[in-house]
Amino acid sequence: MQLSTSTLLLMSGIGVITSALSLIFLWFANKDIKAVRYWALSACFLLAGLLLFKGKGDLPGWLKYIIPNFVVQTAFWLILYGTYQACEQQIHKPTLFNFIFSYAALHIIFIFVIPSYQFRFTLGVLTAMTSLIWMFWGLHRYSYGKYKISTRLIFLSISILISVSLVTVFDVNWGDANTLHQDESLKAQWFIISMFISQLLFNFAFAIMVGEIRHYKNKLSKEQLVNMNIALSKENERAEAHSKLKSEFLANMSHEIRTPINGVIGCLDLLQSTKLSTQQLQYTELAHASANSLLGVINDILDFSKIESGKLAINPEQIDLLALLDSVAKSFAIELSQKPVTLYVDCHQVMHHTLLLDPVRLRQILNNLLSNAIKFTKQGHVQLSLSSQKNTQGKVVLTANVSDTGVGISEQGQRKLFNAFSQCDASTTRLFGGTGLGLVIVKRLCKLMGGDIELVNSELDKGSEFVFSILVDEVHIQQADLEQSMHVPNNIALYSPNDTFLTIMQNQFKSRGFSLSVLDTKNIAKNYYDLIILDLVNCKESGLEYTFLIESAKSHADEVCVINAVNSELSNHLKLGITECSIFYHPFTCYDLMQLFSKKTLQETTEPLILKEDVSAYSLHGLKVLLAEDNKVNQLVATKMLSNWGVEFVIANSGQEVLNILLKTKPNDFDMILMDCQMPILDGYQTTKQIRAAQDYASFKNIPIIALTANAMTGDKEKCLESGMSGYVSKPIEAEALRQEMSNQLASSLNQG
């Protein structure tokens, strides 16, 4: 039984509905593929076109000849556009526009100028075929072989449509039917069926093409991932090479700078061990503190490298907090003497003196903050105030406030404070210099020590205020606090023209339960005191006030303490006049005060004091040491230290010279080797390896070898130990550190023997 054309159109419409729904679901499942939306819309337009053809009799006038045909053609254009999207290409829009315009113009001509169903049908079929051929051409040209299976299905579908369509066009042009509804021929019905079959093939092709797109994207992503991994691997190799070069540069810079600093600090240590006047000793202490500050700058650069690599370590040890603060404050004495700026240290709220913390890192924090405050303050004062209290976990919270009356920081500059290598602005860099690393390191150190730092207040031309806190442990020492052994006079008076200093001193005495009388030039001679403290920093040395204050104090007190500027040049008669006074220099700290009160106790001691270092050094007397050091200044420093301890020594200027000396000596000629790591001809590492491994030096195979190195980067100590060295002392060499390491190695050697 043959079905009517109308029935076939209805059945095709039902099939197209199914195709449209499947493509819509495919679209929702693959929204990231733009082509799918156009294919889904094309099926919807084709469905709408078939329905319009079915009910075209209900459309008014000439619209029934235009709307159904345009809707169907739009379906083919959407397929074309979607295929270009699948190939990641943009269709040439002017060409497409001209194509659509040509179809519209001819179709209208065949409606109104030359009315003909045959011409309209032929035009529609040829236009649809042209769209599909164009689509296939674009797919073949731009898919680059990505869509092999879907391309074959599309080719099959187009072939069926072209063959059937051409036959139908031929029949329509030579038949009697005026519409497709009226053409009941079997060929016309096969045309409808072929359209339905082609639509199904297109649906299958599009679904497969989506899968092929997915496969291609996955393949591309995999290739990109592989290429990215290769690029990352190469970049990692470059980064490692760069890091290695940077580490080598920093290590070399560390050695080249720390070596002369070792000479400076070592010579100052030797100078301090000689007989010096009080003023000379004060100058050497200031020079020593300044050299240590310079060393701190070098350490800042090295520490920033450690921060970047996450290798910055905190090494807590027992320290006297007040002594550390005094040392830090005194290191700025020379700098302060060159400008009208005063540094005040207020510790009256510090209730925990002996603490377990990293002194190097705390000194680093304080040095950075104070040096910045002093650098940016033209006149006025800088104040360091500290307090301590225990938290609920039993830790001591050490809080410090650093304020100044300097230039202040703008709001824009405040946002850059804790960024590496940044200054507030270009003018600041020109005026004051600096690398911009200080506050970055300070913040990281505070966080590593359980605290933080922040800028709490700053105004331009009025100054700034920083507050930082760290967590430390208290060390309980029974009957060992310095305050327990201090002799504090009952009647103490203070003269100072500086109100801030007066307030700090009054708070310091009050917090310890002592009273303090305040003097001025009018009442200094009215009463008699056990101790009078004179702050003469702001007095004119050539004026009568200076002489009057000293003479009045001497005649109205058992003891006089004079606080003077570090660059003060007292006249000869005044020097002679105050030789019986205790002399201190600004910045005057709580530690100075405690030293003043402990002075009498030390003087009243009947037995002479024996320094711990001297007792310990006695065990090194008679030790025979081979010193390998190529730097002449460092040779002088090291040999003076060894001589003070009664150690016999022989100097070698290179690693090769060490080996030559050992070949000519007996096993008992040396008890120990002090080995510099970087030397000409043969360095300390290679020399040590030969001593440990070569048969020629078998008699010295187990001799203690202590590394003396200016390399202070992470891993340098491990490198020394891996090469066979027994111990490690970094430069600048501290006498106590070297003595302790030598004693430890000697004890270990004797125990093994």
Side-chain angles (χ1 to χ4, degrees):
M1 181 180 69
Q2 183 176 339
L3 298 175
S4 67
T5 302
S6 299
T7 303
L8 287 174
L9 285 172
L10 180 61
M11 292 176 62
S12 298
I14 295 172
V16 172
I17 290 175
T18 306
S19 298
L21 289 175
S22 63
L23 285 174
I24 289 172
F25 283 119
L26 189 66
W27 175 21
F28 285 130
N30 299 273
K31 287 186 176 181
D32 58 321
I33 302 176
K34 293 182 180 180
V36 182
R37 74 179 69 171
Y38 297 105
W39 296 335
L41 288 173
S42 72
C44 295
F45 271 83
L46 183 61
L47 172 62
L50 292 176
L51 293 175
L52 287 170
F53 272 117
K54 176 63 179 175
K56 63 185 299 185
D58 298 328
L59 292 175
W62 52 269
L63 290 178
K64 60 185 176 182
Y65 300 117
I66 295 178
I67 294 178
N69 290 282
F70 266 91
V71 171
V72 172
Q73 292 298 332
T74 301
F76 290 104
W77 296 331
L78 286 170
I79 291 175
L80 171 63
Y81 197 83
T83 303
Y84 268 78
Q85 289 290 322
C87 296
E88 298 180 347
Q89 296 291 325
Q90 291 295 327
I91 196 170
H92 191 249
K93 292 181 180 179
T95 303
L96 179 62
F97 176 78
N98 291 331
F99 178 61
I100 296 172
F101 178 78
S102 299
Y103 168 76
L106 289 172
H107 191 75
I108 292 173
I109 290 173
F110 294 150
I111 294 175
F112 300 105
V113 181
I114 309 175
S116 171
Y117 161 71
Q118 288 80 4
F119 287 174
R120 291 197 302 273
F121 182 81
T122 303
L123 176 64
V125 171
L126 293 177
T127 302
M129 293 303 100
T130 303
S131 298
L132 293 177
I133 292 171
W134 187 357
M135 176 201 71
F136 184 78
W137 174 83
L139 184 65
H140 176 73
R141 180 177 180 182
Y142 296 117
S143 68
Y144 305 111
K146 292 187 293 185
Y147 312 127
K148 295 180 180 179
I149 298 176
S150 55
T151 300
R152 293 190 183 101
L153 286 175
I154 290 172
F155 178 74
L156 177 61
S157 177
I158 293 174
S159 300
I160 294 173
L161 277 177
I162 289 176
S163 59
V164 176
S165 297
L166 291 177
V167 173
T168 305
V169 167
F170 180 82
D171 290 342
V172 166
N173 280 279
W174 276 268
D176 297 329
N178 294 321
T179 66
L180 191 61
H181 286 279
Q182 297 174 357
D183 190 352
E184 298 293 338
S185 66
L186 185 61
K187 291 181 179 179
Q189 293 176 2
W190 267 110
F191 174 71
I192 298 172
I193 294 171
S194 67
M195 286 183 60
F196 173 65
I197 294 173
S198 296
Q199 176 65 29
L200 291 179
L201 290 176
F202 272 118
N203 287 350
F204 283 123
F206 294 150
I208 293 172
M209 190 178 292
V210 169
E212 290 175 322
I213 291 174
R214 284 283 176 217
H215 175 73
Y216 175 74
K217 283 191 172 184
N218 291 337
K219 181 181 178 182
L220 188 62
S221 298
K222 185 177 180 180
E223 290 177 355
Q224 289 176 343
L225 184 61
V226 171
N227 293 334
M228 188 180 296
N229 287 335
I230 294 173
L232 286 174
S233 178
K234 291 181 179 179
E235 190 64 31
N236 186 52
E237 290 176 0
R238 284 195 293 268
E240 288 179 354
H242 175 73
S243 178
K244 184 179 179 181
L245 287 174
K246 183 178 70 173
S247 298
E248 290 175 353
F249 168 75
L250 289 173
N252 185 61
M253 184 181 69
S254 169
H255 179 270
E256 294 302 322
I257 296 178
R258 292 169 73 94
T259 296
I261 291 179
N262 176 63
V264 173
I265 295 178
C267 288
L268 288 171
D269 287 335
L270 296 176
L271 186 60
Q272 286 177 321
S273 66
T274 63
K275 187 176 181 180
L276 301 173
S277 67
T278 303
Q279 194 172 40
Q280 288 173 330
L281 183 61
Q282 181 72 26
Y283 288 160
T284 57
E285 287 176 351
L286 292 175
H288 195 282
S290 298
N292 280 319
S293 293
L294 177 60
L295 182 62
V297 173
I298 305 305
N299 288 335
D300 274 355
I301 300 173
L302 299 177
D303 284 341
F304 183 73
S305 175
K306 295 176 185 177
I307 287 174
E308 283 188 317
S309 60
K311 296 180 180 179
L312 191 68
I314 300 298
N315 302 305
E317 59 184 76
Q318 180 179 316
I319 61 106
D320 182 343
L321 178 61
L322 298 183
L324 186 145
L325 294 175
D326 178 76
S327 174
V328 171
K330 290 293 194 298
S331 69
F332 294 101
I334 299 294
E335 184 178 354
L336 290 166
S337 69
Q338 297 172 354
K339 58 196 306 188
V341 177
T342 306
L343 172 61
Y344 301 110
V345 180
D346 183 3
C347 301
H348 79 274
Q349 294 184 358
V350 175
M351 302 303 170
H352 309 83
H353 293 176
T354 307
L355 301 171
L356 190 66
L357 55 80
D358 190 329
V360 175
R361 300 310 177 189
L362 179 57
R363 183 186 294 272
Q364 199 171 355
I365 293 171
L366 293 171
N367 276 334
N368 272 305
L369 293 176
L370 290 175
S371 63
N372 278 345
I374 294 170
K375 179 169 63 174
F376 294 114
T377 303
K378 295 180 180 179
Q379 60 181 3
H381 71 269
V382 174
Q383 183 165 335
L384 170 62
S385 303
L386 291 99
S387 64
S388 66
Q389 61 181 5
K390 281 195 173 182
N391 62 12
T392 55
Q393 287 77 33
K395 291 274 189 179
V396 174
V397 181
L398 186 63
T399 304
N401 179 297
V402 178
S403 59
D404 62 69
T405 58
V407 297
I409 306 171
S410 65
E411 291 185 6
Q412 181 181 2
Q414 292 177 27
R415 292 192 288 269
K416 301 179 183 178
L417 276 179
F418 299 102
N419 295 334
F421 302 106
S422 68
Q423 291 277 6
C424 295
D425 55 43
S427 61
T428 302
T429 305
R430 288 195 298 269
L431 286 173
F432 301 102
T435 62
L437 290 177
L439 289 177
V440 178
I441 295 173
V442 165
K443 190 170 186 69
R444 182 61 62 89
L445 289 175
C446 288
K447 288 189 174 182
L448 285 175
M449 300 171 79
D452 203 353
I453 181 174
E454 61 179 341
L455 175 68
V456 296
N457 182 44
S458 185
E459 294 184 46
L460 289 177
D461 300 322
K462 292 185 178 180
S464 304
E465 181 181 357
F466 287 87
V467 173
F468 77 85
S469 62
I470 58 174
L471 293 180
V472 298
D473 292 312
E474 182 183 14
V475 178
H476 300 281
I477 303 178
Q478 297 180 356
Q479 305 298 325
D481 287 339
L482 183 58
E483 293 184 7
Q484 297 285 336
S485 61
M486 290 191 307
H487 175 79
V488 182
N490 295 323
N491 196 4
I492 305 174
L494 168 67
Y495 167 81
S496 176
N498 190 296
D499 292 336
T500 303
F501 185 68
L502 276 174
T503 302
I504 291 174
M505 291 292 287
Q506 286 177 312
N507 289 336
Q508 190 65 61
F509 274 80
K510 184 178 179 180
S511 67
R512 299 299 187 266
F514 303 125
S515 61
L516 178 68
S517 301
V518 178
L519 302 177
D520 55 33
T521 55
K522 297 179 181 179
N523 65 5
I524 192 171
K526 287 185 178 181
N527 298 308
Y528 196 87
Y529 301 93
D530 296 329
L531 172 66
I532 292 179
I533 302 174
L534 296 176
D535 177 18
L536 303 181
V537 173
N538 296 316
C539 291
K540 293 182 179 179
E541 298 175 1
S542 59
L544 295 176
E545 180 187 13
Y546 198 91
T547 306
F548 168 74
L549 289 171
I550 293 176
E551 295 300 329
S552 297
K554 287 179 62 179
S555 60
H556 290 83
D558 291 338
E559 187 175 357
V560 177
C561 169
V562 175
I563 304 173
N564 215 340
V566 70
N567 62 344
S568 174
E569 296 180 1
L570 300 176
S571 61
N572 290 331
H573 71 278
L574 286 179
K575 285 183 181 179
L576 294 174
I578 63 171
T579 51
E580 298 177 358
C581 302
S582 299
I583 303 176
F584 290 87
Y585 295 90
H586 249 291
F588 187 81
T589 68
C590 178
Y591 184 76
D592 289 328
L593 200 61
M594 296 174 70
Q595 293 299 308
L596 173 64
F597 294 153
S598 64
K599 181 179 179 183
K600 187 173 181 181
T601 304
L602 295 175
Q603 289 174 343
E604 292 174 349
T605 303
T606 56
E607 297 181 359
L609 292 176
I610 301 176
L611 297 178
K612 177 181 177 182
E613 181 182 328
D614 295 336
V615 175
S616 300
Y618 180 76
S619 62
L620 301 180
H621 185 81
L623 196 70
K624 290 175 280 189
V625 169
L626 175 58
L627 173 63
E629 172 65 65
D630 63 306
N631 186 280
K632 299 301 180 183
V633 177
N634 290 339
Q635 285 180 3
L636 175 63
V637 172
T639 54
K640 288 296 182 182
M641 290 180 183
L642 297 176
S643 297
N644 290 341
W645 301 331
V647 176
E648 300 175 12
F649 57 85
V650 173
I651 298 176
N653 294 287
S654 69
Q656 186 60 53
E657 193 171 333
V658 169
L659 298 179
N660 294 339
I661 291 173
L662 293 180
L663 284 175
K664 300 175 183 178
T665 56
K666 299 177 182 178
N668 295 329
D669 286 351
F670 295 112
D671 301 306
M672 187 177 298
I673 300 176
L674 301 181
M675 184 78 73
D676 183 24
C677 290
Q678 290 196 8
M679 293 182 292
I681 305 176
L682 200 65
D683 63 30
Y685 306 112
Q686 296 169 321
T687 305
T688 302
K689 289 179 180 179
Q690 290 203 33
I691 294 173
R692 298 303 190 203
Q695 187 62 35
D696 293 340
Y697 312 104
S699 56
F700 295 100
K701 182 178 181 179
N702 297 318
I703 189 172
I705 301 177
I706 299 176
L708 303 181
T709 176
N711 294 335
M713 296 293 291
T714 302
D716 287 329
K717 181 177 181 180
E718 290 73 12
K719 183 178 179 181
C720 292
L721 298 178
E722 287 175 2
S723 69
M725 298 183 190
S726 313
Y728 172 94
V729 176
S730 65
K731 296 178 182 177
I733 297 172
E734 295 181 3
E736 175 60 22
L738 177 59
R739 182 211 57 77
Q740 186 64 51
E741 185 64 26
M742 291 176 66
S743 297
N744 292 341
Q745 293 300 328
L746 182 61
S748 177
S749 177
L750 292 174
N751 291 334
Q752 291 178 359

